[in-house]
Amino acid sequence: MPELVDTFAVLTPTGSAYEEPVTDDLYRRLDKTYNGFAGCALLSCHRFDRDWGVWELHPAGDEIVLLLDGAVTLVLREDGAEREVHLAKPLAYTIVPRDTWHTARTNVATEMVFLTPGEGTRNEVFD
């Protein structure tokens, strides 16, 4: 049985789900295999213990973010202002609205699950 940190799941527009092993070329492979990830969503799990260092934005839809362990502050940039969402209890979650730049800040071991509409996702480094 695969674990979500090693094998992500892709949900296609037709409702079919496929397992995708996490490799260095994962995102390039997803774009190629799933037509630029058009209409697809990615179910993933990430572990981290420091700030992300990048911001991301998902234009294709809202992202669901679920805390499994640790604690995190999600920073959302909306209408020129930043809003913080603190998740500190296992199974706490939030919804990051479509087209909202966001990043994560933490200094403890944190594990989170993401359901991401991946088409057109952008990543940027902001000061």
Side-chain angles (χ1 to χ4, degrees):
M1 188 67 62
E3 291 192 12
L4 195 55
V5 293
D6 301 316
T7 304
F8 293 169
V10 174
L11 183 64
T12 68
T14 63
S16 297
Y18 298 94
E19 295 177 343
E20 291 291 344
V22 176
T23 59
D24 290 341
D25 69 337
L26 172 68
Y27 294 102
R28 281 189 304 269
R29 191 177 74 241
L30 293 176
D31 278 342
K32 182 178 178 183
T33 303
Y34 300 98
N35 188 31
F37 224 61
C40 294
L42 183 67
L43 180 65
S44 63
C45 182
H46 294 277
R47 295 176 176 149
F48 51 96
D49 59 6
R50 62 182 65 100
D51 297 352
W52 283 359
V54 299
W55 291 75
E56 64 179 21
L57 174 140
H58 309 292
D62 299 344
E63 179 178 47
I64 300 171
V65 180
L66 170 76
L67 180 70
L68 294 180
D69 194 29
V72 68
T73 298
L74 294 169
V75 182
L76 287 64
R77 284 191 175 164
E78 300 172 297
D79 300 321
E82 290 187 0
R83 175 172 66 97
E84 293 185 348
V85 177
H86 303 282
L87 302 178
K89 181 179 174 186
L91 301 182
Y93 78 95
T94 192
I95 298 171
V96 177
R98 166 194 320 251
D99 285 326
T100 300
W101 285 106
H102 57 285
T103 192
R105 296 185 180 143
T106 191
N107 60 7
V108 299
T110 299
E111 185 173 29
M112 299 180 73
V113 171
F114 301 83
L115 182 58
T116 308
E119 182 180 4
T121 291
R122 294 173 46 201
N123 293 280
E124 298 284 340
V125 177
F126 295 124
D127 292 326

